[in-house]
């Protein structure tokens, strides 16, 4: 790994040097090819981790062939076709995102999110509903309401005590949770007094999280807007993050159903008694827990931190300390629980969860902070006017990426030329060879000695039939019909609709590849073939070959070799059409750099 990193570093250094002072390595048909392009591809394909490295001279020959084919593709106009343009744009779009973001800003967001994860904050809130797009009068009324509420829970509203000259104005701060019960439009406020438990990153809308973490513990946040409306929050406490690993057995109770609650309390008590008498917790959870998602895992709820479970369950679970201990039944708004405690841990090191935090940042609304930072930096870097839209700023920056990043320039060029290479090779070699039956046959006959087998093969058909008469009819068709028409004849003359009276398979088998062929042709004693009940008559039709008699008997190898021949001929034609002139001084300079 260390060697690979050193090699990649040398590649980046080489690219940087070449970007500063690039040289013409060669001309292909009069067109310049720069040394930096060769250096990029050579280094990429000859890292120390690669088993077979090629010398500069060996790779230079491969590179010349590559450039010749790309030149041919450009002459053919492949790079102007709609299909090419669409594919190339798709590849480039996959390569550019990491260059179209402010990575420093994203790193800061990751670090900030991790720090907040390490210190969950408990808060209560008050919400005044105001839907997005509300009229100005509705917005103003909602804001006035939340401003007055905030004053009640911070400084208090002015209150006159006494009369006449003895009268004085006093301010008495009100209890936040009581005010929440009286004023908050959150449906749970009357029951919970605005309490929302512990807040950690990515669990609430970002504006809520940001307000809570930017306010000192014990104080009330400034007013902030969410898609729901206007809010204030009281930051109650901050604790170091802990995760616990527990399992539970649950009996569910519909909300406010007192009769079922009595019944389920009796059930959970009986389960608790079983556990007290030595019953296995995990097996009991699988059998009796009504939380089916965890029951299949023996009740396992995996690791979780504060704020992720309902408060009565969370309080009971976090109060447990002894590994393997089991709680008495506790009640939440969902029903009754028995908890088994496994373990406790602090937050994992950032290095071990960075990828997870980064992924959460990238799909969270906080990524907009990094996007705004990218736009600001792009405006400054390219001196773009403030009147230019963000979309136009991004488009401008995107259009200048290759000029800014040498490694991206070479990668995009590699995508571009790779598509051209594939398409022109497909046209001039691969498809040409695959479709040239006459050429393949002639090539095979000329080079028959290259395709000898180490053991004979049976070439022909295996037939599975309903009875002897059907087998005889199928055998006649196989022997006399055009090979391309056999399947059609079998289906139309013997098989009737969905009723299969015969099945025929064509193939080329050596010993051990087909049990019926092993029995009838190779006379294998322990062949293992068993007649099928539905098609009990089985026979073979064909011949035993010591070596292939036609190119189709070794189609894969023959086609591959024929393609190599066509490619060699094609490259020679390209060398004639596009003369290659190499700057040997630049080659020697490259060799010196790579030593």
């Amino acid at each position: 790994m260390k060697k690979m990193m050193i090699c990649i570093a040398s590649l980046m250094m080489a690219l940087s040097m070449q970007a500063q002072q690039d040289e013409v390595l060669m001309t292909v048909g009069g067109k310049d090819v720069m040394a930096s392009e060769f250096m990029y591809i050579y280094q990429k394909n000859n890292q120390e981790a690669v088993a077979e490295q090629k010398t500069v001279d060996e790779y230079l020959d491969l590179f010349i062939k590559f450039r010749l084919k790309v030149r041919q593709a450009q002459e053919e106009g492949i790079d102007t076709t709609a299909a090419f343009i669409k594919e190339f744009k798709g590849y480039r779009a996959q390569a550019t995102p990491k260059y179209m973001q402010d990575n420093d800003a994203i790193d800061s967001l990751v670090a900030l999110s991790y720090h907040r994860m390490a210190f969950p904050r408990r808060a209560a809130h008050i919400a005044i509903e105001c839907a997005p797009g509300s009229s100005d009068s509705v917005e103003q009324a909602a804001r006035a309401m939340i401003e007055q509420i905030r004053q009640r829970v911070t400084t208090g509203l002015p209150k006159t005590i006494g009369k006449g000259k003895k009268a004085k104005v006093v301010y008495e701060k009100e209890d936040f949770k009581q005010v929440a019960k009286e004023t908050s439009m959150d449906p749970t406020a009357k029951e919970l007094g605005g309490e929302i438990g512990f807040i950690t990153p990515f669990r609430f809308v970002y504006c809520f999280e940001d307000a809570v973490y930017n306010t000192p513990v014990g104080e009330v946040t400034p007013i902030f807007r969410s898609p729901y409306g206007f809010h204030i929050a009281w930051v109650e406490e901050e604790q170091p993050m802990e995760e616990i690993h527990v399992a539970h057995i649950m009996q569910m109770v519909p909300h406010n159903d007192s009769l079922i609650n009595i019944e389920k309390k009796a059930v959970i008590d009986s389960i608790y008694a079983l556990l007290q008498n030595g019953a296995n917790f995990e097996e009991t959870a699988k059998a009796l827990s009504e939380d089916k998602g965890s029951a299949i895992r023996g009740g396992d709820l995996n690791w979780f931190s504060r704020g992720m479970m309902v408060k009565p369950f969370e309080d009971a679970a976090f109060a447990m300390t002894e590994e393997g201990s089991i709680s008495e039944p506790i009640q939440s708004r969902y029903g009754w629980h028995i908890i088994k405690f496994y373990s406790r841990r602090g937050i994992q090191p950032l290095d071990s969860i960075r990828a997870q935090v980064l992924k959460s940042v990238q799909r969270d609304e906080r990524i907009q902070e990094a996007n705004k930072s990218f736009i600001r930096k792009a405006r400054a870097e390219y001196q773009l006017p403030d009147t230019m839209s963000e979309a136009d700023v991004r488009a401008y920056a995107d259009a200048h990426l290759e000029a800014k990043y040498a490694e991206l320039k070479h990668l995009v060029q590699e995508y571009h030329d790779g598509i051209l290479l594939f398409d022109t090779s497909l046209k001039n070699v691969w498809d040409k060879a695959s479709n040239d039956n006459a050429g393949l046959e002639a090539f095979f006959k000329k080079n028959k000695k290259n395709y000898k087998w180490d053991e004979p093969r049976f070439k022909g058909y295996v037939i599975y039939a309903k009875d002897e008469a059907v087998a005889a009819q199928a055998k006649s068709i196989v022997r006399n019909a055009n090979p391309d028409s056999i399947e059609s004849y079998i289906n139309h003359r013997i098989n009737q609709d969905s009723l299969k009276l015969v099945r025929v398979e064509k193939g080329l088998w050596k010993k051990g590849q087909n049990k019926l062929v092993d029995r009838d042709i190779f006379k294998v004693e322990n062949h293992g073939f068993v007649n099928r009940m539905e098609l009990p008559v089985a026979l073979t039709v064909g011949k035993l070959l010591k070596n292939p008699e036609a190119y189709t008997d070794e189609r894969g190898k023959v086609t591959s070799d024929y393609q190599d021949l066509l490619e060699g001929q094609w490259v020679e034609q390209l060398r004639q059409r596009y003369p290659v002139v190499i700057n040997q001084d630049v080659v020697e300079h490259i060799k010196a750099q790579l030593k």
Side-chain angles (χ1 to χ4, degrees), residues 30 98 106 143 241 397 514 558 562:
K98 69 178 182 179
I106 290 175
R143 176 167 279 280
M241 196 278 267
N514 184 290
V558 174
Y562 188 47

Side-chain angles (χ1 to χ4, degrees), residues 356-392:
Q356 173 189 336
V357 179
L358 174 60
K359 187 176 181 180
S360 296
V361 165
Q362 289 174 328
R363 64 188 181 196
D364 185 73
E365 58 187 305
R366 74 194 67 211
I367 195 64
Q368 296 304 319
E369 299 298 318
N371 293 339
K372 290 175 184 176
S373 177
F374 175 83
I375 295 297
R376 287 195 300 271
K377 289 182 178 180
R379 286 188 194 278
E381 180 179 359
Y382 298 111
Q383 299 182 340
L384 302 176
D386 293 340
T387 54
M388 183 180 283
S389 70
E390 289 189 6
D392 288 341

